[in-house]
Amino acid sequence: MKKTIAILLVLVIGMAGVFAATADLELTTTVDGKYGLKIASRAVTGANLGALVTDFNDNLTGTSLVSQVPFTDEDLTETLYMNYLSNQKIQATVTTTMAPMASESVSTKIGYSVAVNGVATPVEVDSEDTAVPITFIDEGSVVNGMRVESKEFTITMDKDEWLAAAAATDYTTTWTVTLATL
């Protein structure tokens, strides 16, 4: 019995030398910078983040996107989301300026309000010469790594101006959305 134990100890000590050699492993990678903005009818979640990243990558061919948000006599309110995505080491602010709804075919304009975080900002028909600014996202400090933020906002047409507006099918407005970084 003692011989068996002695033989096992010699095998264990002998095998330790086989695994004592060291090896170096060097790993490298490159992480591409990604950033984007998208106004959408839904917020970004873990479930749809991959589709949003693909959408950002596939649709960043220009700086102008055309979106249509339909309003009707029965529905003068629309809830949307400003979706922001970035992995840049930056401090970012997302703002927009907007003007009232106007038509090429008639002279009436339609005002509306935009509510972010429960605070409504009116865009009145006489504010056309001075664009109304709103801040959607404001990162307070420089941030590392991938982050996604969705800010819900609600657009509500001014009911009195809607009812007073002349009939036309081309009421539009342009929002200028700015992603500023530090």
Side-chain angles (χ1 to χ4, degrees), residues 157-178:
M157 290 292 137
D158 182 291
K159 186 174 183 179
D160 293 335
E161 290 175 10
W162 179 273
L163 293 173
T169 59
D170 64 342
Y171 280 98
T172 62
T173 188
T174 299
W175 287 17
T176 302
V177 179
T178 305

Side-chain angles (χ1 to χ4, degrees), residues 65-179:
L65 295 172
V66 177
S67 297
Q68 294 185 353
V69 180
F71 293 93
T72 65
D73 288 337
E74 294 80 30
D75 188 11
L76 295 177
T77 300
E78 185 71 30
T79 299
L80 299 167
Y81 296 86
M82 175 66 71
N83 295 308
Y84 162 71
L85 164 112
S86 179
N87 69 346
Q88 307 289 317
K89 185 177 180 179
I90 56 173
Q91 176 182 348
T93 304
V94 178
T95 59
T96 186
T97 55
M98 55 199 74
M101 302 278 289
S103 168
E104 293 287 325
S105 58
V106 296
S107 62
T108 54
K109 294 182 175 64
I110 304 171
Y112 53 93
S113 65
V114 179
V116 179
N117 292 332
V119 177
T121 301
V123 180
E124 299 169 345
V125 294
D126 59 352
S127 65
E128 186 172 347
D129 296 329
T130 57
V132 178
I134 292 180
T135 299
F136 285 103
I137 296 167
D138 188 5
E139 292 180 324
S141 61
V142 174
V143 181
N144 261 328
M146 181 60 77
R147 58 211 179 273
V148 176
E149 186 172 345
S150 293
K151 186 65 70 169
E152 181 181 280
F153 65 97
T154 303
I155 304 169
T156 304
M157 290 292 137
D158 182 291
K159 186 174 183 179
D160 293 335
E161 290 175 10
W162 179 273
L163 293 173
T169 59
D170 64 342
Y171 280 98
T172 62
T173 188
T174 299
W175 287 17
T176 302
V177 179
T178 305
L179 169 62

